[in-house]
Amino acid sequence: MSFTKGTITYADGTSTAVDLSGLDSERELTVKLAKALSSNNQTATISFTGTADEVTEPASVTGLTSTFTAVNGVETASTVDFTLNPTQEVLLASLNGTTFSADDGDVTVKGSVVVPDSTNLKNTDITVKSTLNGRAQADFKIPESDDNESGRFDYTVKPNQLTAGDNTLIITVADPYGNESNPLKVTITLTGQVLFNGVAEASSFQSTTLTGSQQQVKRGNDWQVNVLDTRTAGATWILQVSATAFTTKDGRQLAGGLYFHDDTGKTAVTTTPMNIASGQSTSNDDEKDIVSDWQDETGLLLDVGSASVSGQYQSQLTWTLNDTP
């Protein structure tokens, strides 16, 4: 370490400079107080400012002991042990640009981190930090890969994280020593649209024991239909559903069928699409959970006739989301 400045600061608010010319090869320096300590000036704080030598990896520095001599005795004070971390430039860039559209789905930014070769850092040593439209996102480490010193990572943003228009993503990376990269600014545009934001691949009705009488079969817990609307306020949408007949694998048709129940009664669901929900956008991004609005006795329910035969029945449901004026 190269010392550039020394200062003695007294309790009475005065200070004097320390002459560093006497610092010898053993890193020892004799300093004499210019002022005597007294009840009105009880302390003198000696501080040194310097620049540490460059290091390429963490270096442990052992604390040293200083001796203070006065007519009434000798006192010592020791500095604490500390670790000197390397200061280095960390560079971050995008390999696939900084302007994206999310209209077709997820956006993935391919990041590349460059650090000096001498530090021997691995991908897993680097932390990725980010904000999206000013909101902090979860930090993560670059995952380990076949080339664990590549500095490459993917950052994916989903449409449901965005608002209509331009969205600003700021990414930085940090090494284990507290050095942070330049900020990488990414603009992601999402045209206002209405779209499905989650639909269950398969849904079921509860297993039921036939009684020989007309029965209603309730839904299982695996239904999901979510609608996301990022358009300007006032735009409307309509959700429709259609379904084929319930049949077994060998073609036997269920004596009964799928019905949509609401406050007005029940309506058979056929191969012709029928309206079952609608909505209107506000100034915010609206997400509608269709199934959560259904009660046990409303929504899509299966009616089983008295002539039904036991078996496993399936139907194909088709959801249609209409962007209406």
Side-chain angles (χ1 to χ4, degrees), residues 82-99:
F82 64 93
T83 299
L84 185 63
N85 287 323
T87 299
Q88 61 184 4
E89 187 174 27
V90 181
L91 299 177
L92 173 63
S94 172
L95 299 177
N96 60 335
T98 56
T99 304

Side-chain angles (χ1 to χ4, degrees), residues 232-280:
T232 55
T236 58
W237 53 266
I238 293 175
L239 177 66
Q240 297 179 312
V241 67
S242 60
T244 60
F246 278 81
T247 60
T248 60
K249 287 184 178 180
D250 58 9
R252 184 173 67 245
Q253 186 167 327
L254 177 70
L258 185 64
Y259 286 82
F260 179 72
H261 296 251
D262 60 14
D263 294 339
T264 65
K266 70 175 186 178
T267 306
V269 180
T270 66
T271 54
T272 301
M274 62 173 291
N275 298 348
I276 65 165
S278 62
Q280 184 177 52

Side-chain angles (χ1 to χ4, degrees), residues 105-128:
D106 295 355
V107 167
T108 298
V109 180
K110 294 190 174 295
S112 176
V113 182
V114 178
V115 296
D117 292 337
S118 58
T119 54
N120 297 317
L121 292 177
K122 308 295 185 185
N123 285 355
T124 47
D125 294 322
I126 302 297
T127 300
V128 180

Side-chain angles (χ1 to χ4, degrees), residues 104-186:
D104 295 326
D106 295 355
V107 167
T108 298
V109 180
K110 294 190 174 295
S112 176
V113 182
V114 178
V115 296
D117 292 337
S118 58
T119 54
N120 297 317
L121 292 177
K122 308 295 185 185
N123 285 355
T124 47
D125 294 322
I126 302 297
T127 300
V128 180
K129 305 178 180 183
S130 61
T131 62
L132 181 59
N133 293 329
R135 293 186 178 181
Q137 306 298 296
D139 296 348
F140 65 91
K141 297 283 190 180
I142 297 181
E144 186 174 359
S145 63
D146 292 339
D147 181 1
N148 204 30
E149 296 181 359
S150 67
R152 304 287 179 85
F153 67 93
D154 288 348
Y155 190 108
T156 299
V157 179
K158 296 183 176 297
N160 62 358
Q161 297 176 257
L162 305 172
T163 60
D166 289 342
N167 297 263
T168 300
L169 172 67
I170 304 292
I171 306 174
T172 59
V173 298
D175 67 14
Y177 316 126
N179 301 300
E180 194 159 308
S181 74
N182 56 294
L184 175 64
K185 180 180 178 181
V186 177

Side-chain angles (χ1 to χ4, degrees), residues 160 195-201 222-228 239 287-291 319 321:
N160 62 358
L195 69 162
F196 287 115
N197 194 37
V199 177
E201 293 185 6
D222 51 3
W223 288 73
Q224 180 191 26
V225 183
N226 292 345
V227 175
L228 176 65
L239 177 66
E287 184 164 3
K288 178 75 169 177
D289 184 340
I290 303 299
V291 177
W319 302 98
L321 185 58

Side-chain angles (χ1 to χ4, degrees), residues 6-18 33 37 41 43-47:
T7 305
I8 303 174
T9 304
Y10 296 93
D12 64 6
T14 61
S15 62
T16 58
V18 175
L33 298 183
L37 301 182
N41 186 33
T43 63
T45 302
I46 304 174
S47 58

